[in-house]
C-alpha cells in the first residue's frame, strides 16, 4: 500500500469488498444454465479468433503471437481484475505522491481522510460499472493465481481477455435477441481488441507510455488537487463565479486535468476511438457471415447505448465521461469504414505501422486527412 502521512492512499482490499457488496445481482440462472453459458462463450471466443484474424489480416501466416488467456468471469471476478489493473497502473503516481507528502500543507488532511475513504469511493465506482461491461481486454493486467495473464515481457503478449457472463446474459434477455448469436457477436468485438494488441507488438508500450505521461502530469500537491475538485464541483453544480466559461458539458475527469494532460488525452482519445471503432467495424463485417441475426442485434444494441438504462444512469455516464466512450465507438467506426472504403483493408492496416501512423483526434473526424498524410506522402 502507498501512504500519505502514515495513512494508506488506497485501501485496495476495501475497494474490492465495497464493489462486491454493492454491485447489482446478476440475472437469475440455474447452475446448469450458467455452466452452459460459460462453455459456449469459451467456444465462441475460440471461433471469433479465427474469424477476426481472417477478416482483419493483421497477423500474417507464420507470425502467430503468443496466446493470451480468455477468462469467463462473473461481476466479482471483473471487479478483482480491474482493481489489480488500477493498482498496477497507478503505482508510479502513488509513489510520487508519497515522496511529496512531507511538508505539504494538505498532507495531514488527506492523510486523515486516508485510504479507507478512497477505497470505498473506488469500490462504489466499480460497483456501478461491473454490471455494465460485457467484455474487456485487460492490456496491463498483472497475473494472479485466480486470474492468469500472458507474459508482458514477450512481444505481442501480456494481458487477458475477460468475458463477463452475467452481463452478457442480462443484455441478451433485455434486448430479446437470439442468445447464441449475441454471445458470438460480443466475442467478435472483444477478440478484435485482443488481436489489436497481440498483432501490434508496440501498441501496449505506446499506450502505457501515454498513460504514465498523463499520470506524471497530475498535480501531487493535495491542496491543488482539492482546489481542482472544488472548481469541478462548482462547474457541475452551476455554481461558477460570474463571468467564468461554462464547462458544464465536460465530465469531472476532464475538469480536473491540467493543460498538458488535455493534450495527452487528445492523443489517447484518438487511439481509443480507433481501437473501439475498429472492433465495431470488424464485428459488423464478420457478423453477416457467422451471426444470422446481426442486423437485429446491432439495431437494438445501438438503441440501448443511446438511451441508457435510466435518468440516473445517464447522469452518471456524463459525470464519469462514459458518454465520450460512446462517441468513440461511433466516430472510430466511421473513420475505419471511410478509410477501408478508400484504400482497402491492407491500406487501412498501415495505421498499425508505428505510433506516427496512428490517427490524430482531428483525423478521426476527417479520415481523408489521415489518408492524405499516411498514404499519399508514402506513395509519392
Amino acid at each position: 500500500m502507498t501512504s500519505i502521512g502514515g495513512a494508506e492512499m488506497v485501501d485496495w482490499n476495501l475497494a474490492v469488498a465495497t464493489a462486491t457488496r454493492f454491485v447489482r445481482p446478476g440475472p437469475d440462472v440455474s447452475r446448469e444454465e450458467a455452466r452452459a453459458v460459460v462453455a459456449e462463450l469459451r467456444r465462441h471466443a475460440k471461433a471469433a479468433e479465427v474469424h477476426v484474424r481472417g477478416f482483419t489480416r493483421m497477423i500474417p501466416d507464420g507470425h502467430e503471437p503468443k496466446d493470451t488467456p480468455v477468462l469467463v468471469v462473473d461481476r466479482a471476478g471483473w471487479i478483482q481484475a480491474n482493481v489489480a489493473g488500477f493498482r498496477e497502473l497507478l503505482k508510479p503516481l502513488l509513489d510520487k505522491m508519497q515522496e511529496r507528502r512531507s511538508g505539504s500543507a494538505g498532507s495531514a488532511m488527506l492523510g486523515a481522510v486516508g485510504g479507507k475513504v478512497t477505497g470505498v469511493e473506488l469500490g462504489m465506482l466499480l460497483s456501478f460499472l461491473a454490471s455494465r461491461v460485457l467484455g474487456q481486454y485487460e492490456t496491463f493486467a498483472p497475473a494472479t493465481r485466480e486470474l492468469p495473464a500472458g507474459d508482458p515481457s514477450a512481444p505481442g503478449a501480456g494481458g487477458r481477455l475477460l468475458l463477463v457472463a452475467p452481463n452478457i446474459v442480462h443484455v441478451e434477455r433485455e434486448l430479446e435477441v437470439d442468445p447464441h448469436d449475441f454471445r458470438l457477436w460480443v466475442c467478435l468485438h472483444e477478440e478484435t481488441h485482443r488481436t489489436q494488441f497481440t498483432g501490434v507488438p508496440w501498441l501496449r508500450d505506446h499506450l502505457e507510455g501515454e498513460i504514465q505521461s498523463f499520470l506524471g502530469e497530475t498535480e501531487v500537491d493535495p491542496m491543488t488537487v482539492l482546489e481542482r475538485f472544488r472548481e469541478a464541483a462548482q462547474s457541475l453544480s452551476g455554481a461558477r463565479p460570474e463571468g467564468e466559461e461554462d464547462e458544464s458539458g465536460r465530465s469531472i475527469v476532464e475538469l480536473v486535468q491540467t493543460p498538458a494532460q488535455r493534450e495527452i488525452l487528445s492523443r489517447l482519445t484518438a487511439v481509443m476511438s480507433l481501437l473501439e471503432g475498429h472492433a465495431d467495424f470488424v464485428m459488423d463485417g464478420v457478423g453477416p457471415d457467422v451471426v444470422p441475426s446481426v442486423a437485429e442485434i446491432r439495431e437494438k444494441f445501438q438503441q440501448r447505448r443511446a438511451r441508457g438504462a435510466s435518468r440516473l444512469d445517464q447522469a452518471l455516464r456524463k459525470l464519469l465521461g462514459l458518454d465520450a466512450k460512446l462517441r468513440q465507438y461511433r466516430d472510430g467506426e466511421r473513420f475505419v469504414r471511410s478509410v477501408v472504403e478508400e484504400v482497402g483493408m491492407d491500406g487501412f492496416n498501415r495505421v498499425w505501422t508505428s505510433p506516427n501512423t496512428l490517427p490524430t483526434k482531428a483525423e478521426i473526424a476527417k479520415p481523408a486527412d489521415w489518408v492524405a498524410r499516411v498514404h499519399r506522402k508514402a506513395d509519392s
Side-chain angles (χ1 to χ4, degrees):
M1 299 294 186
T2 302
S3 62
I4 285 186
E8 296 172 349
M9 266 291 290
V10 181
D11 187 331
W12 300 105
N13 292 332
L14 183 57
V16 172
T18 301
T20 304
R21 178 181 178 185
F22 287 100
V23 70
R24 295 176 181 176
D28 185 19
V29 296
S30 67
R31 182 170 296 182
E32 291 74 19
E33 288 175 310
R35 288 174 177 166
V37 170
V38 169
E40 184 173 21
L41 286 172
R42 287 175 176 157
R43 292 195 303 271
H44 283 333
K46 193 65 179 176
E49 179 180 330
V50 176
H51 296 315
V52 168
R53 292 185 181 183
F55 184 82
T56 63
R57 302 201 289 274
M58 289 180 63
I59 302 176
D61 292 339
H63 293 78
E64 293 295 310
K66 291 189 176 180
D67 202 9
T68 53
V70 177
L71 308 179
V72 182
V73 298
D74 58 11
R75 291 171 178 175
W78 181 89
I79 289 167
Q80 291 173 3
N82 276 265
V83 168
F86 275 129
R87 189 173 186 173
E88 185 82 5
L89 270 182
L90 292 177
K91 187 178 185 303
L93 173 62
L94 297 181
D95 288 346
K96 180 181 175 182
M97 295 184 77
Q98 183 182 28
E99 291 171 4
R100 293 282 297 275
R101 75 187 186 279
S102 60
S104 170
S107 62
M109 182 193 311
L110 196 56
V113 173
K116 298 295 183 185
V117 172
T118 311
V120 169
E121 290 173 341
L122 176 58
M124 293 303 293
L125 171 62
L126 290 173
S127 72
F128 170 76
L129 296 174
S131 62
R132 287 157 173 77
V133 177
L134 301 182
Q136 174 182 348
Y137 184 77
E138 281 202 297
T139 315
F140 311 107
T144 66
R145 184 174 61 183
E146 297 82 9
L147 297 166
D151 179 6
S153 64
R160 57 184 168 231
L161 180 61
L162 304 181
L163 297 169
V164 190
N167 296 351
I168 293 172
V169 172
H170 171 78
V171 174
E172 70 192 24
R173 290 179 177 179
E174 178 187 336
L175 299 182
E176 297 181 338
V177 294
D178 183 285
H180 309 292
D181 284 2
F182 184 75
R183 293 166 195 173
L184 177 54
W185 189 72
V186 170
C187 288
L188 291 171
H189 181 101
E190 302 307 332
E191 175 58 37
T192 302
H193 287 316
R194 187 165 70 141
T195 298
Q196 289 163 348
F197 283 94
T198 56
V200 185
W202 54 264
L203 185 57
R204 179 186 184 276
D205 289 343
H206 173 71
L207 267 183
E208 184 175 20
E210 291 280 60
I211 292 170
Q212 293 304 329
S213 295
F214 181 90
L215 295 176
E217 291 290 336
T218 300
E219 298 283 359
V220 294
D221 174 61
M223 293 308 294
T224 302
V225 173
L226 291 174
E227 177 64 18
R228 287 190 175 276
F229 272 100
R230 183 190 66 82
E231 294 172 357
Q234 286 182 341
S235 178
L236 289 166
S237 66
R240 300 179 315 281
E242 186 176 355
E244 288 192 4
E245 182 182 356
D246 181 1
E247 294 184 322
S248 59
R250 291 162 55 191
S251 71
I252 195 169
V253 177
E254 294 171 303
L255 287 166
V256 298
Q257 290 163 10
T258 66
Q261 284 177 315
R262 287 178 187 141
E263 291 183 12
I264 299 169
L265 186 67
S266 177
R267 297 195 296 270
L268 280 170
T269 299
V271 176
M272 297 312 296
S273 296
L274 170 69
L275 299 181
E276 296 292 359
H278 183 236
D280 267 10
F281 176 79
V282 170
M283 72 177 179
D284 285 348
V286 173
D289 292 332
V290 297
V291 182
S293 60
V294 64
E296 177 191 3
I297 291 173
R298 163 56 76 188
E299 181 181 0
K300 289 183 175 180
F301 195 76
Q302 290 285 52
Q303 292 172 355
R304 182 181 185 274
R305 271 182 182 172
R307 68 175 181 265
S310 66
R311 295 183 69 178
L312 175 61
D313 186 68
Q314 291 172 357
L316 287 170
R317 287 194 324 186
K318 182 175 182 180
L319 181 67
L320 297 171
L322 300 181
D323 279 347
K325 186 173 178 64
L326 299 183
R327 290 194 296 272
Q328 288 173 5
Y329 287 107
R330 183 187 65 237
D331 297 344
E333 196 275 341
R334 186 185 301 121
F335 169 84
V336 176
R337 185 174 302 280
S338 297
V339 171
V340 171
E341 287 176 354
E342 185 164 350
V343 297
M345 183 63 75
D346 292 333
F348 165 79
N349 280 340
R350 287 194 189 182
V351 78
W352 312 116
T353 303
S354 75
N356 293 330
T357 56
L358 291 172
T360 64
K361 190 175 179 180
E363 288 171 340
I364 289 288
K366 295 183 178 180
D369 290 352
W370 180 87
V371 173
R373 177 172 68 87
V374 173
H375 277 268
R376 290 168 193 161
K377 281 188 178 180
D379 296 341
S380 61

